Amino acid sequence: MTPEGRHITIAGAGLAGALLATLLARRGWRVDVYERRGDPRVQGYSGGRSINLALAERGLHALRIAGTDAAVLEKAVMMRGRMVHFAEGGQQLQRYGRDDSEVIWSVSRAELNIVLLDAAEAAGARIHFDRRLDQVRFDAGIASFVDDRNGLRHEHPFRALVGADGAGSGLRAAMQRYLDLGERHEPLGHSYKELEIPPADDGGFRIEPNALHIWPRGGYMCIALPNDERTFTVTLFLPNEGDPSFATVRTGADARALFARDFPDALPLIPRLEEDFERNPVGQLGTLYLERWHLDGRAVLLGDAAHAMVPFHGQGMNCAFEDCVALAAHLEREPDLAAAFAAFEAERKPNARAIQAMALENYVEMRDRVDDPDFLLQRQLERQLAERHPGRFVPRYTMVTFRRLPYALAFERGQVQRGLLAEATRGRDSLDGLDWAWLDAEVEHRLPPLPAEG
Ligand code: FAD
Ligand code: 8R5
């Protein structure tokens, strides 16, 4: 491809759009990014609330490639494990990994986005704010953007469009008019509400900072992630119907009554519970499946625009970042855009499907199983098998969170491992008298050594 051919237009300067712009601009591409909202570095991040995300190895690796890992980790809070708050009172830290080399990081979405926007511009990408992608004439190669502040329309020619414009993607809607993408949306039937734990009177954290807190309650739960300004963002997940649900818990007073009954240790930590509950919107959750992610060589989708998922594995951003690295590599390798987009889709679609499925499963684990004795016994056996067979038996959470092997492989091996754990612990309440020789042989038989990661 000629140098003039290496031009790409990205819709969305959120997490994936800003990272992809950095990766491509650094490799000499001419990159234009159009973002619906204003520049968060000028007018503050819209929303205003401090929202944090869990960054894991896949996302961190992508940031390393973009040279932005150090700037992001500087303001991140380490989370070593789940702090489970039991219904009966009391709490327990369940470590995610072997030691502090296997941890996840709580990062502020606003700060992360700003680091990535700065990196994209430093690499030479041009970012155009207040430009919402609205319509696309694919035949003419013209994209039309609206400035929502004044309703004015701006048209720009493009060679190829990348949709990094999130779950409500405007590019996806525009592509759908030219080609049936086979879109299917599955609502979860549960939604969420964000609340805040402010700093303690002495300015420190009110609860253990280096953990992801979980209050599992069977059909629903609360979680809390630390922010570096010593607050926690609490997220209450409830079904949409039934009791309790967002149909029955409607006012601040209802929320207080729910917390008094089910989350009594959390209640005194959230002084503005009523205000938070009534002011913040209910967030919707669901999974988006597409049969096709690209329109020949003219447009391709990635991140939430291609495969929005439920949040329970904390992998939406991590997966979106992995998409960016993969797309940049395919574009570098393959000069024909249609072939590059097709190869990208072929590589990533099965992996997106796998993490979407694992994210759905992790909701049940988080809300219902982390305080269950059968589950804890299986976890104990899992740890021992992982120690006995380090190259073969790797807990699924570890494969997803601390390794970079394909999600689809993690999913497949996870199913084999889960079968083995269930078989070995069936009818038991301890590991005493387990037939280790049989187990070791089964591991070697069912789980070939994992491939090394590049
Ligand atoms: P986004 O980050 O949503 O970016 C899309 C961008 O496109 C936005 O800037 C938007 O303004 C812009 N845009 C939208 N429409 C248009 C348009 N028509 N034209 C131009 N621009 C447009 N993931 C994790 O890995 N770990 C977590 O702990 C985690 N926690 C989360 C917590 C919350 C509250 C939420 C909502 C999500 C969380 N996620 C988490 C998921 C993660 O945020 C997403 O998967 C990730 O942001 C996807 O990146 P993206 O770039 O595809 O989309
Ligand atoms: N996203 C997360 C995990 C897994 C934790 C574990 C779970 C909030 C809307 Cl629900 C959730 C995880 O298995 O112990 N890691 O990171 C992030 C999560 O929720 C985020 C904060 C969220 C969308 C609201």
Side-chain angles (χ1 to χ4, degrees):
M1 200 187 298
T2 60
E4 347 24 317
R6 288 161 61 93
H7 177 209
I8 207 117
T9 300
I10 301 175
L15 300 182
L19 178 70
L20 181 67
T22 308
L23 296 175
L24 292 178
R26 284 182 152 212
R27 291 179 190 170
W29 287 70
R30 191 151 72 83
V31 182
D32 282 285
V33 191
Y34 292 89
E35 165 59 42
R36 174 172 69 178
R37 291 179 294 191
D39 187 338
R41 296 165 297 185
V42 176
Q43 50 188 31
Y45 206 73
S46 65
R49 289 175 284 145
S50 57
I51 298 301
N52 42 22
L53 306 108
L55 174 68
E57 173 56 22
R58 292 169 199 267
L60 193 52
H61 183 72
L63 296 177
R64 274 183 212 119
I65 294 174
T68 54
D69 53 314
V72 171
L73 285 183
E74 206 174 285
K75 295 171 197 153
V77 184
M78 178 194 281
M79 298 186 290
R80 295 192 167 94
R82 309 175 163 150
M83 184 69 83
V84 180
H85 296 248
F86 299 103
E88 306 75 34
Q91 41 184 299
Q92 180 193 35
L93 181 72
Q94 299 175 0
R95 261 192 177 274
Y96 286 135
R98 283 177 301 218
D99 52 46
D100 283 359
S101 70
E102 292 182 335
V103 297
I104 55 178
W105 300 91
S106 183
V107 299
S108 138
R109 179 189 296 271
E111 280 170 2
L112 176 58
N113 204 358
I114 286 170
V115 167
L116 292 174
L117 292 171
D118 285 343
E121 285 183 340
R126 291 187 301 185
I127 309 177
H128 314 271
F129 293 96
D130 296 299
R131 293 287 181 274
R132 174 172 55 81
L133 178 69
D134 181 43
Q135 284 172 20
V136 183
R137 281 178 282 145
F138 286 102
D139 303 321
I142 304 280
S144 165
F145 300 88
V146 175
D147 181 340
D148 287 322
R149 296 169 305 177
N150 51 28
L152 292 180
R153 192 172 282 280
H154 303 261
E155 303 215 312
H156 296 282
F158 68 88
R159 176 158 182 270
L161 285 168
V162 178
D165 50 351
S169 172
L171 180 57
R172 192 176 71 233
M175 289 164 72
Q176 186 71 44
R177 297 211 192 99
Y178 279 71
L179 170 76
D180 179 10
L181 300 175
E183 181 173 335
R184 188 162 54 87
H185 186 256
E186 269 181 17
L188 178 66
H190 293 229
S191 304
Y192 70 93
K193 182 82 95 170
E194 283 153 349
L195 310 165
E196 193 191 67
I197 300 178
D201 292 335
D202 67 1
F205 286 100
R206 284 205 184 184
I207 51 176
E208 168 59 46
N210 296 116
L212 190 158
H213 293 260
I214 309 181
W215 289 260
R217 294 300 181 261
Y220 51 99
M221 68 175 187
C222 262
I223 65 167
L225 273 70
N227 292 302
D228 72 338
E229 64 268 36
R230 310 289 182 266
T231 63
F232 288 82
T233 305
V234 176
T235 311
L236 168 67
F237 293 93
L238 285 181
N240 296 335
E241 305 293 335
D243 190 24
S245 73
F246 282 111
T248 61
V249 183
R250 303 174 67 103
T251 65
D254 297 339
R256 173 166 294 275
L258 174 74
F259 271 78
R261 189 189 74 186
D262 289 338
F263 309 107
D265 63 324
L267 183 58
L269 305 172
I270 313 173
R272 290 184 302 275
L273 179 72
E274 282 88 346
E275 296 95 299
D276 288 351
F277 192 87
E278 290 185 0
R279 195 188 51 218
N280 295 339
V282 173
Q284 307 296 322
L285 301 168
T287 309
L288 170 75
Y289 304 96
L290 296 186
E291 292 304 329
R292 274 166 294 282
W293 291 8
H294 75 107
L295 174 57
D296 49 57
R298 289 175 288 182
V300 67
L301 302 170
L302 51 64
D304 281 9
H307 52 65
M309 64 189 73
V310 297
F312 307 107
H313 225 306
Q315 286 287 316
M317 160 188 61
N318 287 282
C319 179
F321 282 176
E322 210 172 47
D323 286 351
C324 295
V325 172
L327 181 59
H330 285 293
L331 286 170
E332 210 49 27
R333 213 177 290 145
E334 170 59 76
D336 177 58
L337 289 179
F341 292 171
F344 165 73
E345 177 186 314
E347 177 192 337
R348 295 301 295 167
K349 210 170 65 181
N351 290 310
R353 290 280 162 107
I355 187 59
Q356 287 177 314
M358 292 189 283
L360 281 162
E361 289 181 2
N362 212 47
Y363 189 25
V364 182
E365 174 166 327
M366 288 181 77
R367 71 180 201 230
D368 201 30
R369 301 211 58 218
V370 288
D371 57 353
D372 167 311
D374 290 341
F375 172 78
L376 294 174
L377 186 66
Q378 290 192 19
R379 286 256 327 198
Q380 195 190 335
L381 178 57
E382 181 177 66
R383 267 198 304 277
Q384 297 204 20
L385 287 176
E387 243 168 68
R388 294 167 83 94
H389 304 276
R392 292 179 192 265
F393 197 111
V394 179
R396 187 172 94 176
Y397 185 89
T398 300
M399 290 191 280
V400 168
T401 310
F402 304 126
R403 303 289 165 87
R404 285 180 283 113
L405 50 89
Y407 286 124
L409 183 60
F411 188 41
E412 225 172 82
R413 303 218 14 154
Q415 277 167 324
V416 174
Q417 293 177 170
R418 184 177 296 183
L420 196 55
L421 293 175
E423 228 175 286
T425 56
R426 188 161 301 136
R428 297 177 161 275
D429 50 22
S430 90
L431 300 182
D432 298 341
L434 255 179
D435 185 349
W436 289 102
W438 171 79
L439 256 174
D440 289 342
E442 287 301 310
V443 168
E444 299 204 354
H445 174 64
R446 298 190 203 181
L447 295 164
L450 275 169
E453 282 163 51

